[in-house]
Amino acid sequence: MPTTPHRYRPEEIEALRARYRAERDRRIRPEGTAQYRRAAGEFGYYAKDPYTEWTERDPVHDRVEAVVIGGGFGGLLTGARLRQAGVQSIRVIDEAGDFGGTWYWNRYPGIHCDIEATVYMPLLEEVGYVPKWRYAPGEEIRRHCVAVAKQFDLYADTMFHTRATELRWDEDAAEWHVRTDRGDDFRARYVVVGSGTLTQPKLPGIPGIETFRGHTFHTSRWDHGYDLAGKRVAVIGTGATGVQVIPSIAPEVGHLYVFQRTPSSVDVRGNRPTDPAFAATLRPGWQRERMDNFLTLVTGGHVEEDLIDDGWTSTARLQRQMLTGTVDTSIPAEEREYLDELADFRKMDEIRARVDDIVTDPATAEALKPWYRYMCKRPTFSDFYLETFNRPNVTLVDTADHGGITAMTETSLVVGENAYEVDCVIFATGFEVGISGVISGTLPVYGRGGMPLLGHWRNGPRTLHGFYSHGFPNLFHLGSLQNAAAVNFTHVLQEQATHIGALIGAAAERGAQRIEPTAEAEEAWVTTIRETAPVNFDFRAECTPGYYNGEGKPRPVNNSFGPGPVVFHELLRTWRAEGGMDEVLRS
Ligand code: NDP
């Protein structure tokens, strides 16, 4: 790798731009997101819970103070903050069989979180836990979720394997009626929707997919009962999940065929056990300090010392603009874009050089090189992935020229002229991107006077700070919609849970029945979002296709707060401290 930054000649810049465009054009498919199939109907078994047995229970018709929809980190953090605010009766609902959200569903071999555990795993100090590894394995994170639920007594009133199907506001009683797919119909003063964004597995729309007679499953519903030893196995997909699964199963299987459409950028991981000497230095407040340090760095801010110092923080300048839209306004926009592009070329050249350093077969190495800008796809990190392609029992099948796998038959996967006979197909093909059931319409919400929330939002979402809407009292949304977005999403969720906890705590203290923004406050926030939302439409439109950009057809509207999460969290703190609550608490 070059020690001094390579300076690009104008013709080199043009050549890179042309190569990126050509790779994008080669990859784009006219159907866009319609190329995928839902894991529903005849494919519904791909979404079934393989980990916890489904048990019959009677429908519930009672009342709770707060219901939290979603038992992942959003729900856990909210539950914790509500307990700390003195809320006694909290019910968590989830379609899964236990707490954990993404970490409940994703249990594939090799699963780790690629953000340092000390900043990713929330509530470590509250639970009194120091992660064992720098990048935690999924099982350690899942157990932490369970520990958080126990610590804050959230198991007391859970409804697992249950999906909320309707929320209806009763103005006289000032409470919500909550209906579920288990026949429950109960009341709750507060509802918090934290049902995640990447939860529903999706399948590629490969012609003939239904005819395949071998074994199949999706990575997020791993079949641990199926013995891969000695089998001919196909993995479809080389995103962040594929990059972790592929090296983990390669030593075990007979032969592994990796079906790649677009290569990931794969940077150095450097995982290691937590140093006991480091753990011994930790003083109260340590996690907050590390989380703040990481968030500031990856959103383009300045800190005296980079406490995390990993692939994310070192490439922070690149992510700055793409993830949050924050920019150094002292440099003219055009020059800033040019400098960002050069930094991006440098980073991607490093990533491509790493492929050449590791992969011995030149044709395989060539196929593994990503030709797009760094943040067009989720960056990945692994010290084992590229090495796996040097194994004699692993074949990379590059499907880019065909827009993916061409067909499936009873026994094989077909790419152009070639058929690959396999015993098992593992779909590492990702998830449907939704904001929540509220947006997709699978969880209809009716507010004051029976107004449907999607009706109120017919011209786009309308909230104050992303949390709540006028006409829909005591209903809170978690997520980045009109709120903040960040690569360490649990940090954002923690701030959201803190805000909701503070509001509900204040309502109890003051005897307020309703928490609801005025129509004016909502309108003002919609305007703020419109005016500040990051203008990265062109960037996203020119990127290689993927779920980040609607498969090459991004929506022109971006709905997160442009100045970024650090500014947003400060804004919320100031709002709370300076009497904002008075505007939303009502009798
Ligand atoms: P992705 O959507 O990122 O990847 C899906 C993969 O399937 C892509 O490689 C895609 O190719 C490929 N694919 C889809 N259709 C076809 C087809 N017809 N033929 C061949 N290949 C096909 O899903 P992941 O599960 O990998 O990741 C989803 C997200 O989950 C990540 O972006 C990340 O946010 C999160 N995650 C986070 C981790 C962490 O450590 N924090 C770990 C794992 C996941 P193409 O690129 O060409 O579309």
Side-chain angles (χ1 to χ4, degrees):
M1 254 166 253
T3 46
T4 49
H6 176 67
R7 289 182 199 289
Y8 292 90
R9 294 192 303 277
E11 59 275 22
E12 285 178 311
I13 292 174
E14 269 321 306
L16 278 168
R17 285 178 181 159
R19 177 80 196 256
Y20 285 14
R21 265 195 306 273
E23 290 292 329
R24 176 186 188 279
D25 293 347
R26 180 164 84 118
R27 167 60 187 81
I28 200 132
R29 289 176 58 144
E31 324 91 286
T33 50
Q35 68 182 277
Y36 288 101
R37 297 183 77 149
R38 302 202 69 204
E42 67 171 311
F43 293 113
Y45 62 92
Y46 280 104
K48 286 257 165 353
D49 183 352
Y51 313 119
T52 310
E53 206 175 316
W54 196 92
T55 48
E56 205 57 67
R57 66 167 174 80
D58 292 330
V60 172
H61 304 276
D62 61 359
R63 183 187 182 282
V64 292
E65 192 62 7
V67 62
V68 181
I69 301 174
F73 273 127
L76 286 163
L77 281 156
T78 307
R81 294 298 181 234
L82 292 182
R83 279 277 184 255
Q84 287 169 331
V87 178
Q88 295 291 323
S89 96
I90 302 172
R91 172 171 295 153
V92 180
I93 305 186
D94 202 301
E95 289 182 62
D98 201 345
F99 283 101
T102 199
W103 304 103
Y104 175 85
W105 292 114
N106 286 280
R107 303 189 193 193
Y108 55 80
I111 183 169
H112 279 73
C113 181
D114 63 10
I115 296 177
E116 192 179 280
T118 59
V119 301
Y120 177 79
M121 290 167 68
L123 303 172
L124 287 173
E125 288 190 64
E126 283 86 341
V127 172
Y129 186 69
V130 177
K132 305 226 172 324
W133 286 84
R134 185 170 192 202
Y135 300 99
E139 185 58 12
E140 187 179 1
I141 306 174
R142 196 184 67 75
R143 283 171 197 245
H144 179 63
C145 292
V146 170
V148 169
K150 286 185 179 158
Q151 172 96 6
F152 292 96
D153 192 21
L154 299 176
Y155 272 104
D157 198 0
T158 48
M159 282 184 172
F160 289 127
H161 285 161
T162 302
R163 185 167 62 82
T165 52
E166 186 187 278
L167 303 175
R168 194 175 281 276
W169 175 249
D170 176 344
E171 177 66 9
D172 295 332
E175 13 179 73
W176 287 93
H177 282 263
V178 183
R179 291 212 168 97
T180 77
D181 65 349
R182 306 285 293 253
D184 309 304
D185 187 349
F186 62 91
R187 291 165 295 128
R189 162 118 320 145
Y190 300 106
V191 178
V192 183
V193 182
S195 43
T197 57
L198 293 174
T199 49
Q200 184 65 20
K202 69 180 177 358
L203 300 169
I206 302 170
I209 185 173
E210 66 289 346
T211 62
F212 182 70
R213 293 283 157 258
H215 197 67
T216 62
F217 52 90
H218 188 274
T219 47
S220 68
R221 305 290 188 275
W222 195 269
D223 185 353
H224 287 282
Y226 181 77
D227 186 7
L228 291 168
K231 302 276 177 16
R232 296 165 301 173
V233 176
V235 171
I236 306 180
T238 55
T241 301
V243 164
Q244 295 184 338
V245 165
I246 288 158
S248 306
I249 62 172
E252 190 188 340
V253 304
H255 198 92
L256 181 62
Y257 295 94
V258 176
F259 289 84
Q260 171 189 276
R261 194 164 61 177
T262 314
S264 277
S265 70
V266 188
D267 209 344
V268 177
R269 167 71 309 159
N271 201 5
R272 56 172 188 254
T274 304
D275 181 353
F278 161 79
T281 64
L282 301 173
R283 298 286 168 266
W286 68 265
Q287 186 172 30
R288 174 98 232 170
E289 190 190 358
R290 288 180 81 78
M291 286 172 76
D292 285 346
N293 186 275
F294 182 83
L295 189 69
T296 304
L297 271 167
V298 298
T299 54
H302 173 75
V303 293
E304 286 305 318
E305 187 192 352
D306 178 354
L307 295 177
I308 310 302
D309 190 20
D310 71 354
W312 289 110
T313 58
S314 66
T315 47
R317 211 177 78 75
L318 299 173
Q319 294 151 28
R320 178 187 63 180
Q321 201 172 353
M322 299 311 114
L323 289 178
T324 67
T326 38
V327 286
D328 177 356
T329 46
S330 62
I331 310 173
E334 214 170 291
E335 192 183 334
R336 201 168 56 222
E337 270 174 34
Y338 178 70
L339 292 174
D340 273 344
E341 191 182 18
L342 291 190
D344 203 310
F345 286 152
R346 259 178 226 126
K347 182 72 212 172
M348 292 306 281
D349 274 345
E350 249 177 64
I351 298 275
R352 290 186 283 263
R354 187 164 182 259
V355 180
D356 279 330
D357 287 348
I358 295 173
V359 178
T360 47
D361 175 55
T364 306
E366 216 38 50
L368 284 165
K369 289 181 191 167
W371 295 97
Y372 46 80
R373 288 188 59 170
Y374 185 68
M375 283 310 293
C376 282
K377 284 194 176 277
R378 167 91 184 192
T380 75
F381 306 87
S382 173
D383 298 332
F384 314 108
Y385 177 71
L386 295 170
E387 289 77 352
T388 303
F389 294 94
N390 295 334
R391 295 181 62 94
N393 72 332
V394 175
T395 304
L396 178 70
V397 184
D398 185 6
T399 70
D401 280 334
H402 304 274
I405 293 155
T406 338
M408 277 171 87
T409 68
E410 285 193 9
T411 55
S412 308
L413 296 169
V414 182
V415 180
E417 306 281 288
N418 300 314
Y420 301 84
E421 205 167 287
V422 292
D423 304 303
C424 174
V425 175
I426 300 171
F427 293 103
T429 44
F431 303 89
E432 286 181 28
V433 182
I435 308 292
S436 73
V438 168
I439 303 271
S440 67
T442 55
L443 175 55
V445 179
Y446 302 96
R448 190 180 294 117
M451 165 66 109
L453 184 67
L454 288 182
H456 183 57
W457 288 4
R458 63 190 167 281
N459 295 324
R462 305 184 57 76
T463 68
L464 172 60
H465 299 149
F467 291 110
Y468 34 26
S469 297
H470 181 68
F472 300 82
N474 297 356
L475 172 68
F476 303 91
H477 309 277
L478 302 178
S480 58
L481 186 72
Q482 299 194 342
N483 198 288
V487 64
N488 184 20
F489 204 62
T490 54
H491 189 149
V492 170
L493 290 171
Q494 178 157 305
E495 296 291 335
Q496 294 180 349
T498 300
H499 191 73
I500 294 169
L503 282 163
I504 291 179
E509 238 173 71
R510 299 188 201 176
Q513 303 275 303
R514 295 167 177 78
I515 305 176
E516 181 188 1
T518 61
E520 294 73 32
E522 181 184 282
E523 177 58 28
W525 187 248
V526 171
T527 306
T528 302
I529 292 293
R530 200 180 304 126
E531 286 171 356
T532 66
V535 191
N536 57 8
F537 176 75
D538 289 347
F539 175 88
R540 289 185 293 137
E542 285 163 16
C543 269
T544 189
Y547 82 88
Y548 270 23
N549 69 347
E551 296 297 330
K553 298 179 184 170
R555 288 183 310 152
V557 190
N558 192 320
N559 264 312
S560 62
F561 180 66
V566 174
V567 179
F568 182 68
H569 297 153
E570 189 50 41
L571 180 150
L572 289 183
R573 277 190 281 275
T574 309
W575 183 90
R576 292 198 295 269
E578 294 182 355
M581 303 240 198
D582 301 342
E583 295 165 24
V584 297
L585 299 183
R586 307 179 194 293
S587 56

